[in-house]
Amino acid sequence: GESVGLHLPTLSVQEGDNSIINCAYSNSASDYFIWYKQESGKGPQFIIDIRSNMDKRQGQRVTVLLNKTVKHLSLQIAATQPGDSAVYFCAENPPRASKIIFGSGTRLSIRP
Amino acid sequence: GAVVSQHPSRVICKSGTSVKIECRSLDFQATTMFWYRQFPKQSLMLMATSNEGSKATYEQGVEKDKFLINHASLTLSTLTVTSAHPEDSSFYICSAAQLGRNEKLFFGSGTQLSVL
């Protein structure tokens, strides 16, 4: 079936460095992608989204890159802070489906 | 941003009992609400899509008679886990979409269900 997956289940980053979290998706027809942050015991929090007609979108300290050729998404977090520690999920809106499907998640931990 | 309130945040129940979880959109109308389930260290799995005034659409493998969903108003959806068993213990999360914007979801804070 359709799935959205991640390359790395865990990522450890030095505080202040940039973090890059990757995601592969399987449905080439998907036209909308979202990154969520989930802290322990809480619901997902929207970070940034991107449509398939774009290859890059920037927010505050975050950038999402979309490579449709290889069906790859990445989330870049600049100057990673302790508060960035969480699990990050990419998610996908499959075509002709009003629902969001989540990938497998990457845990980001910050080294002081 | 839009706020989705989910209650209770944590519930412990005996095997065989039923548990109801509420999901409310506080400051917007949600024609569609989604219910997800999350096991420890795993991703969110979509259980069902709930549309106001109509029957919910369940994902493959989700028992509709076990997980009863009601979406009686534009601001409230409920999930009832009937005859709960220990294997139903999980983190349940609802999300709501604003009118005409099904891809923009706002999530509740989740309900940790523990069945003894």
Side-chain angles (χ1 to χ4, degrees), chain A residues 2-3 6 13 15 18 20 32 37 39 46 49 52 62 66 68 74 76 78 85 91 94-95 107-108 111:
Chain A
E2 298 168 357
S3 66
L6 293 170
V13 175
E15 182 178 351
N18 297 336
I20 300 177
Y32 181 65
K37 172 185 180 183
E39 297 176 332
F46 173 90
D49 58 2
S52 59
V62 295
L66 174 62
K68 294 182 288 294
S74 69
Q76 300 178 4
S85 293
R107 178 172 296 281
L108 177 64
R111 302 191 303 272

Side-chain angles (χ1 to χ4, degrees), chain A residues 5-75:
Chain A
L6 293 170
H7 294 307
L8 298 173
T10 59
L11 178 66
S12 179
V13 175
Q14 188 78 33
E15 182 178 351
D17 287 353
N18 297 336
S19 301
I20 300 177
I21 301 172
N22 297 304
C23 173
Y25 62 94
S26 59
N27 193 326
S28 58
S30 291
D31 58 5
Y32 181 65
F33 305 89
I34 316 103
W35 280 101
Y36 290 97
K37 172 185 180 183
Q38 186 181 29
E39 297 176 332
S40 182
K42 297 183 180 180
Q45 175 186 357
F46 173 90
I47 300 174
I48 192 168
D49 58 2
I50 189 168
R51 295 199 174 277
S52 59
N53 60 352
M54 303 173 69
D55 54 19
K56 180 179 180 179
R57 191 162 187 229
Q58 288 184 295
Q60 188 175 17
R61 275 202 312 122
V62 295
T63 301
V64 55
L65 299 178
L66 174 62
N67 185 331
K68 294 182 288 294
T69 303
V70 295
K71 293 185 290 185
H72 183 268
L73 270 172
S74 69
L75 175 69

Side-chain angles (χ1 to χ4, degrees), chain B:
Chain B
V3 177
V4 174
S5 174
Q6 185 174 343
H7 291 282
S9 59
R10 182 177 294 273
V11 58
I12 300 172
C13 70
K14 292 182 178 179
S15 186
T17 61
S18 295
V19 174
K20 179 183 283 188
I21 303 170
E22 291 190 349
C23 181
R24 294 179 184 273
S25 56
L26 296 186
D27 51 2
F28 67 99
Q29 292 184 326
T31 50
T32 306
M33 290 187 175
F34 303 88
W35 288 94
Y36 291 84
R37 181 176 185 177
Q38 185 178 32
F39 290 109
K41 299 183 181 180
Q42 293 189 23
S43 186
L44 282 74
M45 291 180 53
L46 181 64
M47 299 174 66
T49 302
S50 164
N51 290 296
E52 185 267 338
S54 63
K55 292 183 178 180
T57 301
Y58 291 81
E59 295 297 302
Q60 190 173 6
V62 179
E63 299 176 59
K64 62 179 181 181
D65 293 331
K66 179 160 187 67
F67 299 101
L68 301 179
I69 292 173
N70 183 279
H71 192 162
S73 76
L74 285 172
T75 60
L76 173 65
S77 177
T78 61
L79 167 67
T80 301
V81 182
T82 62
S83 187
H85 290 282
E87 57 265 31
D88 298 324
S89 299
S90 186
F91 193 54
Y92 292 87
I93 308 170
C94 73
S95 65
Q98 291 182 288
L99 285 170
R101 302 187 65 188
N102 272 12
E103 58 196 19
K104 188 79 170 181
L105 300 184
F106 300 93
F107 285 83
S109 53
T111 297
Q112 183 62 54
L113 171 63
S114 299
V115 185
L116 304 179

